[in-house]
């Protein structure tokens, strides 16, 4: 079974600054995907970024980037130039790369961006 | 292009009652997964439907059942409701053919059991 751990229940950052959210996971699988999802107060779960385990290059989507350390089973999310709209709960999630796979989520990190 | 839709938005039920939640997947998607998200926690996988059959199931009792229709929409049924079933129920859709398995979520149904 896979487990995902987010050790930071809450974080805050000033607008325009950079913040890093941590995530570690445990799996015996060799081929999998990792995701960061954002859940604002509206409750809609929104995909922020995806990383394929077979890719060594870290994924980047505009102001969002990840630091994927496969050997350490670590998958952190860096948000640059933080904006007020980034305030949300952020979930790290794991998925095996086999057909019909499920997402396994961490407990979440509540990020607050202060003006 | 319509995303994943869920109905109803909110629901209040009494212990022992039964409830049905509905989900329409994103256009072009054929797989529907259901998750339960208790307050302050991450979503927990309930089950997944593909080709009108339950393909995978999480650690949930048989009180939780589902169905997928030929148009790929899905229902989640919960019988004999318990107070602990109060949660946000999320539906996610994906397309088995992509090989990437990204799941797109609906806005959820907030179920309160009193």
């Amino acid at each position: 079974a896979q487990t995902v751990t987010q050790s930071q229940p809450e974080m805050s950052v000033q607008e325009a600054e950079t913040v890093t959210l941590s995530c570690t996971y445990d799996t015996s699988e060799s081929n999998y995907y990792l995701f960061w999802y954002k859940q604002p107060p509206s409750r809609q779960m929104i995909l922020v970024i995806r990383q394929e385990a077979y890719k060594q290059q870290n994924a980047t989507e505009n102001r969002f980037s990840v630091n994927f350390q496969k050997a350490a089973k670590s998958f952190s999310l860096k948000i640059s130039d933080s904006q007020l709209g980034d305030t949300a709960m952020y979930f790290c999630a794991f998925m095996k790369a086999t057909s019909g796979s499920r997402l396994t989520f961490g407990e979440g990190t509540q990020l607050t961006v202060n003006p | 292009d319509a995303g994943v839709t869920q109905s109803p938005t909110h629901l209040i039920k009494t212990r022992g009652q039964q409830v049905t939640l509905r989900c329409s997947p994103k256009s072009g998607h054929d797989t529907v997964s259901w998750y339960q998200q208790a307050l302050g926690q991450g979503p927990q996988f309930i089950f997944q439907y593909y080709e009108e059959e339950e393909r995978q199931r999480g650690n949930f009792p048989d009180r939780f059942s589902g169905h997928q229709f030929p148009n790929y929409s899905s229902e989640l049924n919960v019988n004999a409701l318990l107070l602990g079933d109060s949660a946000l129920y999320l539906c996610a859709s994906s397309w088995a053919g992509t090989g990437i398995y990204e799941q797109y979520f609906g806005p959820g149904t907030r179920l309160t059991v009193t």
Side-chain angles (χ1 to χ4, degrees):
Chain A
Q2 288 67 231
T3 59
V4 178
T5 302
Q6 295 177 247
S7 58
Q8 306 153 313
E10 297 179 1
M11 293 193 71
S12 63
V13 65
Q14 292 298 120
E15 197 174 5
E17 293 187 345
T18 296
V19 64
T20 299
L21 308 184
S22 300
C23 172
T24 58
Y25 60 95
D26 188 24
T27 184
S28 59
E29 300 288 329
S30 58
N31 197 12
Y32 51 87
Y33 299 101
L34 294 164
F35 304 86
W36 279 98
Y37 280 89
K38 165 186 177 181
Q39 188 177 41
S42 66
R43 307 178 327 201
Q44 183 91 38
M45 193 76 78
I46 301 165
L47 177 64
V48 174
I49 200 165
R50 180 190 79 239
Q51 175 77 44
E52 292 88 341
Y54 65 86
K55 290 186 177 179
Q56 293 187 339
Q57 185 173 8
N58 290 323
T60 299
E61 288 287 343
N62 300 314
R63 298 183 294 107
F64 299 87
S65 62
V66 299
N67 183 4
F68 174 48
Q69 302 290 328
K70 191 172 184 179
K73 296 181 180 175
S74 170
F75 182 61
S76 61
L77 174 70
K78 185 172 81 171
I79 306 174
S80 303
D81 186 25
S82 297
Q83 301 176 359
L84 297 179
D86 295 334
T87 293
M89 182 72 84
Y90 286 81
F91 291 97
C92 176
F94 172 100
M95 177 188 283
K96 292 192 295 184
T98 54
S99 180
S101 289
R102 67 183 72 176
L103 285 164
T104 300
F105 287 87
E107 305 90 348
T109 296
Q110 175 63 49
L111 176 67
T112 301
V113 180
N114 299 307
Chain B
D1 176 26
V4 180
T5 60
Q6 292 185 243
S7 63
T9 304
H10 297 91
L11 205 51
I12 300 175
K13 289 287 188 178
T14 303
R15 276 180 299 175
Q17 286 187 319
Q18 179 265 345
V19 68
T20 298
L21 311 182
R22 295 177 176 82
C23 171
S24 292
K26 182 179 170 65
S27 178
H29 285 186
D30 58 6
T31 302
V32 173
S33 302
W34 287 92
Y35 294 82
Q36 180 195 65
Q37 186 179 17
L39 193 63
Q41 297 183 18
Q44 298 291 318
F45 175 78
I46 303 175
F47 44 53
Q48 182 180 92
Y49 277 85
Y50 172 69
E51 292 188 339
E52 302 180 50
E53 291 192 358
E54 183 181 291
R55 182 159 66 174
Q56 266 199 85
R57 189 178 184 90
N59 188 25
F60 280 81
D62 292 343
R63 298 187 298 107
F64 289 77
S65 63
H67 187 76
Q68 186 179 36
F69 299 94
N71 67 353
Y72 306 117
S73 67
S74 177
E75 288 183 349
L76 163 65
N77 300 292
V78 186
N79 294 321
L81 284 167
L82 304 174
L83 294 179
D85 295 332
S86 294
L88 179 67
Y89 288 84
L90 296 168
C91 168
S93 73
S94 56
W95 180 41
T98 59
I100 296 178
Y101 314 114
E102 286 184 8
Q103 295 191 8
Y104 292 82
F105 285 82
T109 294
R110 171 72 66 188
L111 172 65
T112 302
V113 182
T114 61

